[in-house]
């Protein structure tokens, strides 16, 4: 868009929240010549000292564990996604004439690139990552930004007109948009979430729906045919609606037929790949691939480029991430499976012949329901961590007895390898937090991958 650069200079702007997007927004506003203030609910001694020094050196007024006394002094208030617009001091600023907006909206206004926006309750990160890889593989200059980790504004300000910003957007980011208009958008699914912020499902869905609110007839909206809320929202879209479905053959859109992923438009059918060629598994990931493929295809990317990228995509790190196939056995890292629900999803995605590595910090969970999911799916259970014995006890209550306890990840992977036969899957999905043995789930997943790599040597 880039028409609002001059409107930023000398404006009095308050940036609320010093998370990743808030820091990037404040830096961008300073760069564009605004008079910037920053506010964060943390006490100053809890904020990075170098960061505070940087902003003060740049002339920014800083309010920590405090708010400005005169909220009528600001032309604009930029909220970080985690900040609730209903906070009294923000409502006061709005009542006194300030524009209340967010980093995504400002990034769109000052940027020149082409936006591809993706939202949904689940699957956003995987779909955004894959879409970005397809766009990059096609030779387009691509920036993967947004809720996925890189602030949109940190890339959009320097983007050229031919650049593509593949953007993961949350409901929190979308609710403060006004002019945001992506070239292509996608809504993957809508299920109950963040109701403490949005209060009702209607309000939550409406926030998601802002992703296509400004799209015109020349835009495309990719939407889940099997999600009623998604389809109801899409009825109001001016953009061309492109449905995707993992359950039915469609006359137009992206779908699966006889195990093959296809896209169909006015030019006919275009094969993407067979479902069994995907490295990422589960029905939810088939839907993610369909959505990413549709976004790329209707952005004008050749089906062959889409096909090659999709078949080589191993997923997002630590989320049912394909690691290797060794002697006919597949290894998956699902270290982000830190609760029983996440591990149940992983077991259902793989289906059977699973050697499950689990255990860690149980966080007070019961494992009885998870243990019921082992029947017909899990061949052997390999346990580690402080609370692995709780999973053992739950499994034994169901009559499951093929259980092994190990001291560390190295022993677990070696034991799983010894127990496996061709056609099996070794799955790390701990159903527990990592804090008893690791700093975080990423460190745990990286250790698992290192152990698997050593099996290949």
């Amino acid at each position: 868009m880039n028409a609002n650069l001059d409107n930023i200079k000398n404006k009095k702007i308050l940036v609320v929240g010093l998370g990743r997007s808030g820091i990037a927004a404040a830096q961008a506003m300073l760069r564009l010549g605004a008079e910037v203030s920053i506010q964060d609910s943390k006490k100053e001694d809890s904020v990075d000292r170098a960061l505070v020094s940087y902003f003060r050196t740049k002339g920014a007024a800083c309010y920590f564990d405090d708010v400005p006394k005169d909220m009528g002094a600001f032309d604009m208030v930029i909220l970080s996604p985690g900040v609730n617009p209903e906070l009294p001091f923000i409502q006061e600023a709005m009542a006194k004439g300030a524009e209340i907006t967010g980093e995504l909206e400002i990034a769109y206004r000052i940027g020149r690139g082409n936006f591809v926006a993706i939202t949904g309750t689940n699957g956003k990160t995987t779909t955004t990552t894959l879409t970005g890889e397809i766009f990059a593989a096609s030779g387009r200059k691509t920036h993967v930004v947004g809720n996925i980790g890189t602030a949109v504004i940190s890339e959009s300000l320097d983007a050229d007109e031919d650049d593509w910003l593949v953007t993961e957007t949350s409901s929190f980011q979308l609710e403060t948009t006004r002019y945001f208009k992506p070239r292509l958008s996608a809504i993957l699914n809508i299920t109950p979430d963040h109701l403490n912020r949005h209060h009702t499902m209607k309000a939550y869905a409406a926030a998601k729906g802002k992703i296509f609110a400004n799209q015109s007839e020349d835009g495309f909206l990719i939407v889940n045919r099997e999600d009623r809320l998604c389809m109801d929202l899409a009825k109001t879209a001016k953009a061309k609606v492109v449905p995707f479905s993992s359950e039915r053959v469609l006359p137009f859109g992206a779908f699966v037929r006889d195990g093959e992923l296809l896209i169909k438009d006015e030019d006919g059918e275009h094969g993407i790949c067979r479902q069994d060629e995907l490295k990422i598994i589960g029905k939810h990931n088939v839907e993610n691939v369909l959505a990413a493929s549709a976004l790329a295809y209707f952005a004008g990317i050749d089906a062959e480029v889409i096909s090659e990228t999709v078949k080589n995509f191993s997923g997002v790190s630590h989320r049912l991430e394909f690691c290797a196939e060794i002697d006919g056995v597949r290894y998956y890292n699902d270290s982000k499976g830190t609760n029983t629900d996440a591990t149940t999803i992983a077991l259902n995605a793989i289906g059977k012949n699973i050697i499950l590595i689990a255990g860690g910090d149980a966080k007070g969970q019961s494992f009885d329901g998870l243990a019921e999911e082992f029947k017909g799916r899990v061949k052997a259970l390999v346990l580690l961590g402080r609370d692995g014995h709780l999973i053992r006890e739950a499994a034994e209550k169901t009559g499951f007895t093929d259980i092994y306890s190990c001291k560390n990840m190295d022993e677990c992977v070696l034991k799983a390898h010894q127990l496996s036969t061709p056609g099996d899957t070794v799955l790390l999905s701990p159903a527990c937090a990592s804090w008893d043995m690791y700093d975080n789930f990423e460190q745990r997943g990286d250790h698992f991958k290192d152990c698997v790599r050593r099996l290949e040597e």
Side-chain angles (χ1 to χ4, degrees), residues 5 15 26 30 34 57 78 85 88 93-95 131 155 183 189 193 215-216 226 232 261 352 371 400 402 407 449 457:
L5 288 175
V15 177
L30 285 167
T57 300
I78 302 175
M94 183 165 61
T131 303
E155 299 286 335
R183 291 276 298 276
N189 44 64
D193 202 5
Q215 284 186 283
S216 49
E226 307 310 324
D232 284 347
L261 279 65
K352 60 182 181 179
F400 189 94
D402 201 358
K407 294 178 182 176
K449 291 190 283 186
E457 293 175 355

Side-chain angles (χ1 to χ4, degrees), residues 314-328:
S314 295
V316 176
S317 293
H318 314 296
R319 301 182 185 185
L320 269 177
E321 175 190 11
F322 176 75
C323 299
E325 183 170 331
I326 304 169
D327 300 329

Side-chain angles (χ1 to χ4, degrees), residues 21 25 76-81 99-109 153 172-178:
S21 68
M76 179 184 290
V77 178
I78 302 175
L79 305 182
S80 294
E99 179 183 7
I100 310 301
T101 188
E103 178 252 338
L104 174 64
E105 172 70 13
I106 296 301
Y108 171 74
R109 293 187 197 179
I153 206 164
F172 295 170
Q173 291 170 306
L174 289 166
E175 71 179 344
T176 52
T177 56
R178 184 177 179 186

Side-chain angles (χ1 to χ4, degrees), residues 370-444:
L370 175 63
E372 295 290 342
E373 300 290 334
F374 293 169
K375 186 176 181 181
R377 295 186 178 92
V378 177
K379 285 179 61 175
L381 184 60
V382 182
L383 298 172
L384 82 165
R386 186 184 67 207
D387 296 325
H389 68 281
L390 298 177
I391 304 176
R392 173 187 283 273
E393 291 165 10
E396 288 176 341
K397 280 193 287 187
T398 70
F400 189 94
T401 58
D402 201 358
I403 305 172
Y404 306 84
S405 295
C406 297
K407 294 178 182 176
N408 53 47
M409 187 67 74
D410 300 78
E411 286 189 13
C412 284
V413 173
L414 183 59
K415 173 56 73 174
H417 175 65
Q418 292 168 346
L419 293 168
S420 64
T421 57
D424 288 349
T425 297
V426 173
L427 169 68
L428 170 69
S429 189
C432 291
S434 59
W435 304 314
D436 60 324
M437 298 178 70
Y438 300 93
D439 292 338
N440 48 53
F441 72 81
E442 293 95 340
Q443 188 183 74
R444 177 172 62 187

